[in-house]
Amino acid sequence: MIIAGAGSGKTNTLAHRVAHLIVSGADPRRILLMTFSRRAASEMARRVERICKQVLGANSGILTDALAWSGTFHGIGARLLRIYAEQIGLNVDFTIHDREDSADLMNLVRHELGFSKTESRFPTKGTCLSIYSRVVNSEAPLAAVLKANYPWVSGWEAQLKELFAGYVEAKQAQNVLDYDDLLLYWAQMVSDPEIADDVGGRFDHILVDEYQDTNKLQSSVLMALKPGGRGLTVVGDDAQSIYSFRAATVRNILDFPNEFSPAADIITLDRNYRSTQTILAAANGVIDLARERFTKNLWTDRQSEQRPMLVTVKDEADQANYIVEQVLANREVGMTLKQQVVLFRSSSHSGPLEVELTRRNIPFVKFGGLKFLDSAHVKDMLAVLRFAQNPRDRVAGFRLLQMLPGVGPSTAGKILDTIAADPEPLVALAEIPPPPKAGPDWTAFVKVLMGLRKTETGWPAEIAQAREWYEPHLDRIHEDAETRKADLLQLEQIASGYPSRERFLTELTLDPPDATSDQAGVPLLDEDYLILSTIHSAKGQEWRSVFMLNVVDGCIPSDLGVGTTAEIEEERRLLYVGMTRAKDSLTLITPQRFFTGGQHVQGDRHVYASRTRFIPVTLLQFFEATTWPQVSASASERSARQIRLDVGARMRGMWR
């Protein structure tokens, strides 16, 4: 286990480890490398290739190209499930639902069971899916999950069990898996010792990045593949475990040495190559107060006299003004806007700042906008490919059929019910009478699906075939069709990088690109712009100058995250992660007043806030504490001279 502190070159270390194995004679086809995004896996592969080239020269490309088993947990899980599908009773043509499709299917089952018409409000589809996902990933009983995370839903436990049973049956009937199934089926598959030996025997070395972000299910998979620990390397930092809302648990990394005692070697990387010593001193001070951690105090050669700033302002409006002033001052001395970031605990915290940036005409990008695959037109295109791949996928079929003129939810449901009973659903679709108002659109619809099912044109030409069918509908459904067409061409370009439709649909669902071309407010690529980001989205990145909003109790720690000791400790780690993103300059801002909205009969409603509990008085030595705006002495003297009537003296005189 490699405990890699913030800015210690974790990615580089893992890349060198993989390259060292290859150079030392390990078969790259028998190395499994798991990261938390496909982009991270691609970056890792590029670094491995570069390192191997320095040692092996021209022949290195042959070896590094054979490093085929690198990707996300979910992506690797999907590949293995297709390989072992027959042995575990799974149809190899399964399709994978993204979160929105899964929520839609959950809603269909919820409606069929009559839970959408209960007297008191039943949890929404999104809440139901979140509960289901947490139960699966944490390997905890439903009752325990409800008590700890969803206490307001506890009264519905029996109905939720019935709903989840119905949801699982619906997925199996439609031959679809959701995100969680990719891990759940994998974990169930390797619970069989014979299959576990076979899967584990494929790999001599398994390397896992960001181990502090794994959940119980992922840990179970690893333990089954390498029960003795031989050949297993995990890299992570317990101080950066901040994803418990996704059911990740810091216990995986804290308990790792005990799982493999005494076989586990622990290596600590505590040299930081990113931040100045003064920033590290403050960050170390914050994390030193954690209740349980691997002891490591980050150090660096980067010396600086400038301590992190702890700035007190009157309210959120002053906070926004202060940040704008400082950002522009930094820009004047040569620091681009892109080299600066404003971080916050929750996406809603940046509202007043966004207004001020817009008013002052300062371009910015806020991380966490519309995802590429969440846009309606891209989902429509993918539904064509998914339904052709798996005609039992009810969510994809429902979406497609309702695109046709004259086909509503009721007609679509009847058509899907009719073809589901047939062994060849698309053949049945071609044979049923077309809906009266669909006209020639029905013929074109059936023709494109049959063509895609037979894979006559081959991949990636199939996606062009789907786009040509969809474009007339796009023009009819959306006013901004031309802008959306650019996304479809981009999707086609992305598709050309995949060997098959099946791999394309799997990988794109599991690791989608971020932006769409019609996302509002995104500047051109060659423009300079300020970054706004939640701390969660900023993990793994770095900027020259970091500003953190609302470093007060109620915001960090969030007032929703202080129920248990474990939650408070995660909030502390969140502050630490935000602080360690800074290279040269770090500013934490503490507004004293927060307006709670609306007008009260006795004036504005507001609450007072105090500095976060994670920076007690004992840590103030690591900060430069100041207030803003500062009133100069001469200004005070001027205002004193302008007093014409000393009301204070009169008040005192009333009682003498």
Side-chain angles (χ1 to χ4, degrees):
M1 180 166 71
I2 302 167
I3 300 295
S8 62
K10 172 176 59 65
T11 307
N12 225 16
T13 303
L14 200 58
H16 274 81
R17 169 81 177 156
V18 175
H20 173 75
L21 290 172
I22 293 173
V23 168
S24 303
D27 185 344
R29 293 165 298 185
R30 296 180 58 80
I31 294 174
L32 172 58
L33 173 62
M34 287 192 282
T35 63
F36 272 77
S37 75
R38 201 160 44 82
R39 286 176 292 283
S42 301
E43 171 61 20
M44 197 80 74
R46 278 195 296 274
R47 292 192 191 197
V48 169
E49 185 174 2
R50 193 169 65 242
I51 298 161
C52 287
K53 197 169 185 178
Q54 290 171 0
V55 182
L56 298 174
N59 293 330
S60 64
I62 298 167
L63 290 174
T64 51
D65 285 349
L67 191 66
W69 286 94
S70 67
T72 64
F73 264 96
H74 293 85
I76 298 293
R79 286 178 65 186
L80 287 170
L81 289 179
R82 292 205 193 272
I83 291 169
Y84 290 90
E86 287 186 11
Q87 293 182 48
I88 59 172
L90 192 62
N91 185 324
V92 74
D93 276 340
F94 66 82
T95 48
I96 301 165
H97 274 183
D98 62 19
R99 289 288 182 202
E100 195 178 321
D101 290 337
S102 301
D104 287 344
L105 182 57
M106 182 75 78
N107 206 37
L108 283 172
V109 179
R110 181 174 167 272
H111 187 67
E112 285 167 7
L113 291 173
F115 296 151
S116 54
K117 296 178 181 175
T118 51
E119 279 187 32
S120 60
R121 192 169 64 89
F122 192 77
T124 62
K125 63 180 182 180
T127 302
C128 292
L129 186 65
S130 295
I131 296 168
Y132 171 83
S133 184
R134 188 172 277 268
V135 169
V136 167
N137 286 293
S138 64
E139 295 188 329
L142 174 60
V145 167
L146 292 179
K147 184 180 177 184
N149 305 102
Y150 303 90
W152 62 94
V153 183
S154 292
W156 296 105
E157 184 186 345
Q159 291 87 343
L160 285 170
K161 271 190 174 172
E162 188 183 350
L163 172 62
F164 297 159
Y167 174 62
V168 169
E169 286 171 9
K171 285 188 294 181
Q172 291 179 358
Q174 296 175 33
N175 194 29
V176 297
L177 302 185
D178 61 23
Y179 274 129
D180 302 317
D181 286 332
L182 298 173
L183 296 180
L184 187 59
Y185 274 65
W186 188 5
Q188 292 292 326
M189 180 172 86
V190 295
S191 66
D192 179 279
E194 207 172 299
I195 297 180
D197 277 351
D198 194 56
V199 179
R202 288 173 168 266
F203 308 111
D204 298 327
H205 302 277
I206 298 178
L207 300 98
V208 183
D209 195 12
E210 305 284 14
Y211 192 62
Q212 78 281 349
D213 295 333
T214 53
N215 58 40
K216 286 287 289 177
L217 205 50
Q218 290 161 324
S219 171
S220 300
V221 166
L222 287 177
M223 299 306 163
L225 294 182
K226 294 293 176 191
R230 183 170 176 78
L232 180 60
T233 301
V234 301
V235 184
D237 181 7
D238 56 297
Q240 296 187 66
S241 177
I242 57 174
Y243 290 111
S244 68
F245 65 92
R246 295 182 190 162
T249 171
V250 71
R251 298 293 350 150
N252 282 355
I253 194 164
L254 291 175
D255 296 342
F256 186 88
N258 299 330
E259 293 279 357
F260 297 106
S261 181
D265 288 327
I266 301 175
I267 298 161
T268 303
L269 305 179
D270 55 9
R271 181 179 180 182
N272 177 290
Y273 296 92
R274 175 187 299 150
S275 308
T276 62
Q277 186 58 51
T278 49
I279 290 172
L280 289 185
N284 286 337
V286 167
I287 206 65
D288 275 346
L289 300 176
R291 286 181 172 237
E292 187 181 6
R293 70 187 192 102
F294 288 108
T295 305
K296 61 180 176 311
N297 277 311
L298 299 179
W299 62 277
T300 183
D301 287 336
R302 297 195 65 219
Q303 299 302 317
S304 171
E305 296 298 317
Q306 184 188 346
R307 286 181 294 174
M309 300 288 291
L310 191 59
V311 182
T312 303
V313 294
K314 186 177 69 179
D315 53 29
E316 289 180 284
D318 269 9
Q319 178 173 245
N321 282 318
Y322 170 77
I323 286 175
V324 168
E325 187 177 286
Q326 296 303 310
V327 162
L328 293 177
N330 286 342
R331 188 166 172 267
E332 286 304 308
V333 294
M335 191 185 295
T336 62
L337 294 178
K338 281 183 185 175
Q339 293 173 323
Q340 306 179 68
V341 70
V342 182
L343 300 180
F344 29 87
R345 168 66 180 85
S346 172
S347 185
S348 59
H349 291 175
S350 64
L353 176 62
E354 291 178 50
V355 172
E356 186 60 20
L357 289 169
T358 304
R359 192 181 73 78
R360 302 277 287 270
N361 204 23
I362 297 171
F364 66 91
V365 170
K366 183 175 177 181
F367 279 78
L370 182 67
K371 291 280 189 283
F372 187 73
L373 293 193
D374 289 344
S375 45
H377 51 297
V378 175
K379 287 186 78 68
D380 288 345
M381 271 284 286
L382 293 177
V384 181
L385 299 174
R386 282 203 184 107
F387 195 61
Q389 179 85 6
N390 173 20
R392 299 190 196 283
D393 186 335
R394 197 173 180 87
V395 171
F398 215 69
R399 186 180 191 98
L400 281 183
L401 284 164
Q402 289 185 88
M403 251 189 271
L404 301 175
V407 178
S410 175
T411 307
K414 286 175 187 170
I415 291 170
L416 292 172
D417 288 340
T418 304
I419 68 171
D422 197 284
E424 287 291 336
L426 287 186
V427 174
L429 187 74
E431 290 172 353
I432 62 172
K437 295 178 184 174
D441 285 308
W442 179 261
T443 312
F445 173 65
V446 172
K447 184 181 176 185
V448 75
L449 287 175
M450 294 297 279
L452 290 170
R453 184 68 179 166
K454 292 173 184 171
T455 63
E456 293 164 345
T457 52
W459 186 257
E462 291 166 15
I463 195 166
Q465 196 179 341
R467 178 178 54 79
E468 284 163 13
W469 169 81
Y470 174 60
E471 278 188 349
H473 297 285
L474 179 70
D475 289 331
R476 182 170 50 82
I477 298 166
H478 297 287
E479 290 177 4
D480 54 346
E482 288 307 313
T483 308
R484 293 173 187 263
K485 281 177 185 174
D487 277 345
L488 300 184
L489 291 171
Q490 187 185 350
L491 191 68
E492 214 168 305
Q493 201 172 355
I494 293 169
S496 64
Y498 292 85
S500 66
R501 179 171 70 197
E502 171 200 290
R503 280 287 290 276
F504 169 70
L505 288 172
T506 299
E507 297 285 346
L508 199 68
T509 305
L510 298 181
D511 192 19
D514 280 336
T516 58
S517 59
D518 60 342
Q519 184 178 358
V522 176
L524 299 172
L525 291 175
D526 58 349
E527 286 183 10
D528 194 17
Y529 50 84
L530 182 66
I531 309 287
L532 311 187
S533 173
T534 61
I535 301 172
H536 283 104
S537 296
K539 189 167 164 293
Q541 301 188 69
E542 59 184 40
W543 291 270
R544 282 185 64 188
S545 180
V546 170
F547 299 89
M548 286 182 72
L549 297 183
N550 300 348
V551 187
V552 295
D553 264 17
C555 293
I556 186 161
S558 163
D559 49 11
L560 297 175
V562 292
T564 64
T565 301
E567 287 173 335
I568 292 171
E569 288 302 308
E570 177 155 334
E571 293 288 316
R572 187 194 311 278
R573 295 192 294 268
L574 202 57
L575 176 61
Y576 172 79
V577 167
M579 292 172 71
T580 52
R581 301 309 95 204
K583 294 166 77 172
D584 302 329
S585 140
L586 171 65
T587 305
L588 310 185
I589 308 159
T590 59
Q592 293 176 303
R593 288 197 303 175
F594 287 84
F595 291 94
T596 55
Q599 292 290 317
H600 194 261
V601 286
Q602 294 168 341
D604 290 315
R605 287 182 290 183
H606 61 266
V607 293
Y608 284 92
S610 57
R611 186 179 68 242
T612 175
R613 69 189 74 177
F614 302 138
I615 304 178
V617 174
T618 52
L619 295 186
L620 291 181
Q621 59 181 311
F622 299 117
F623 294 89
E624 190 74 47
T626 183
T627 57
W628 189 90
Q630 293 175 331
V631 181
S632 66
S634 57
S636 302
E637 288 163 8
R638 271 201 310 277
S639 63
R641 283 198 300 271
Q642 289 167 0
I643 292 174
R644 295 178 58 181
L645 181 63
D646 192 343
V647 177
R650 286 191 178 187
M651 295 298 107
R652 294 191 296 275
M654 286 172 66
W655 306 102
R656 287 184 180 144

